[in-house]
Amino acid sequence: MTYHLSSIILCLSLLGSCAPVRQEAPLLKFGLFADTQYADCPAENSRFYREALQKLDTCIRCFNEENVQFTINLGDIIDRKNCDLNVVKSYLCGLKNGVYHITGNHDYKEVTDNSVLYRQLDMPAEYYSFGKGNWTFIMLNTNEVAAYSNVQGTEKEQELAHMQEQVRQTGGKQGYRWNGGVSRKQLAWLNGQLAACEKSRKNVLIFSHHSFYPHSEFTALNNKEVLETISRYPCVKAVFSGHHHAGAFGYYNHIPMITQEGMIETEKQNAYSIVEVTGDSIRVRGYGRVPSRSFKYSTNQ
């Protein structure tokens, strides 16, 4: 009898030691997707335009099942026709919680008044920020100064010419028509936002359509100016971007720079992620072509 009792105790002890360790519950949990680029047209090369809706539907169902608190769209939800926005938005209505948008270069197709596009996407402004607990989410507009975003005849047209000349003089890779930049006004706004967050000990996540780093033919036209600004502020914990469908990753002055893979690419593979923020880590749970990553950060609290 004693032998049997000790065996049971030993077994229970072993079972207890093998129990999975629970991960810390996240403070924030949100969905993230980029470059859906839906269009009612046949596939071209590796881009499957009609299939994008099924991928988006799968993504939305996952976000709902995982109870994300909100979702962020990194831009380019359509490819070529403004009327397609209504189709994509009808799918996004299936999200249990809200979605925050930034624009991508393709979203400006058939748009002659940028403010109309921002209203269509329920954006409070062409660039903006919002708060969640001790975190500030900064939504940049890297399409503000671009050949495709109606800058003709405005001060931004001169800024665009200056950016393009700077790219030529420095031998940059990104001097293509599909890339845009951040105006001097927006850069000053960003600096003010980050200074205020630093002073109030808020943590910051930054989102943009074009990436800033690693440098490639898909980075923002004035990526170096943006990098110089954000690297001055320890409150910035990570930067998320889209546009470069293959995805990319690197650290700039210890800041993780994540370029999320584009949903439009490939016929079958999807691309989206769920980001979880804990007291000391940012965890990216990737689906499909998006790899999973985890980063430690120092808190500003």
Side-chain angles (χ1 to χ4, degrees):
M1 183 71 176
T2 304
Y3 171 78
H4 290 299
L5 182 59
S6 63
S7 296
I8 291 169
I9 292 170
L10 177 62
C11 287
L12 289 172
S13 174
L14 289 171
L15 285 170
S17 67
C18 294
V21 178
R22 284 188 178 183
Q23 281 191 318
E24 180 186 353
L27 304 171
L28 295 170
K29 183 177 179 180
F30 60 92
L32 191 68
F33 70 93
D35 300 276
T36 305
Q37 286 186 224
Y38 165 70
D40 185 14
C41 63
E44 294 177 7
N45 300 316
S46 60
R47 298 183 180 182
F48 288 77
Y49 300 102
R50 291 190 178 112
E51 287 77 3
L53 290 179
Q54 181 58 54
K55 292 181 184 179
L56 183 61
D57 185 61
T58 300
C59 166
I60 289 168
R61 283 190 281 110
C62 176
F63 290 169
N64 286 340
E65 289 168 5
E66 290 287 332
N67 293 312
V68 300
Q69 293 160 282
F70 55 94
T71 294
I72 290 178
N73 157 39
L74 290 171
D76 277 359
I77 56 174
I78 60 168
D79 188 75
R80 57 194 71 182
K81 290 185 177 181
N82 181 261
C83 61
D84 289 335
L85 270 178
N86 291 329
V87 178
V88 178
K89 285 175 66 179
S90 70
Y91 274 73
L92 292 174
C93 284
L95 284 165
K96 288 196 296 190
N97 294 306
V99 56
Y100 295 93
H101 296 281
I102 52 178
T103 54
N105 50 299
H106 284 268
D107 296 324
Y108 290 81
K109 295 290 180 69
E110 299 187 334
V111 172
T112 56
D113 182 346
N114 294 349
S115 64
V116 172
L117 175 62
Y118 307 141
R119 286 197 298 272
Q120 287 176 317
L121 291 171
D122 301 314
M123 294 167 57
E126 57 185 334
Y127 47 88
Y128 61 100
S129 66
F130 61 93
K132 298 286 182 182
N134 196 50
W135 288 80
T136 296
F137 291 68
I138 294 180
M139 312 289 277
L140 295 180
N141 185 357
T142 54
N143 309 279
E144 186 193 10
V145 179
Y148 51 79
S149 62
N150 303 303
V151 298
Q152 295 81 4
T154 71
E155 184 181 336
K156 292 175 184 177
E157 185 176 23
Q158 298 172 10
E159 287 196 65
L160 175 61
H162 176 73
M163 289 179 194
Q164 290 171 332
E165 181 60 27
Q166 286 293 106
V167 169
R168 282 191 292 269
Q169 289 183 5
T170 58
K173 305 175 183 178
Q174 74 270 44
Y176 292 98
R177 197 181 188 281
W178 58 69
N179 294 326
V182 170
S183 70
R184 287 188 292 268
K185 181 180 178 182
Q186 185 179 173
L187 203 59
W189 173 84
L190 172 63
N191 189 69
Q193 289 277 309
L194 294 178
C197 288
E198 198 70 47
K199 185 176 181 180
S200 60
R201 305 180 73 81
K202 297 280 189 182
N203 300 308
V204 174
L205 293 177
I206 294 176
F207 301 84
S208 64
H209 182 64
H210 298 83
S211 62
F212 306 111
Y213 187 85
H215 191 200
S216 75
E217 65 269 34
F218 299 102
T219 47
L221 292 176
N222 61 339
N223 64 314
K224 291 180 181 178
E225 291 179 272
V226 179
L227 288 170
E228 287 170 5
T229 299
I230 66 177
S231 62
R232 293 199 295 265
Y233 295 97
C235 60
V236 179
K237 306 307 179 186
V239 178
F240 293 89
S241 305
H243 189 54
H244 188 185
H245 297 180
F249 174 76
Y251 284 95
Y252 186 86
N253 283 8
H254 308 292
I255 302 172
M257 301 271 169
I258 305 104
T259 303
Q260 180 143 305
E261 288 71 6
M263 186 178 282
I264 184 63
E265 295 292 331
T266 78
E267 182 179 10
K268 302 293 184 182
Q269 283 185 294
N270 213 331
Y272 57 93
S273 63
I274 291 175
V275 181
E276 297 177 329
V277 178
T278 71
D280 65 355
S281 298
I282 299 167
R283 301 193 295 252
V284 179
R285 232 185 322 139
Y287 293 80
R289 293 168 46 247
V290 179
S292 295
R293 296 184 171 98
S294 183
F295 318 99
K296 291 283 186 181
Y297 69 89
S298 57
T299 180
N300 278 1
Q301 289 181 310

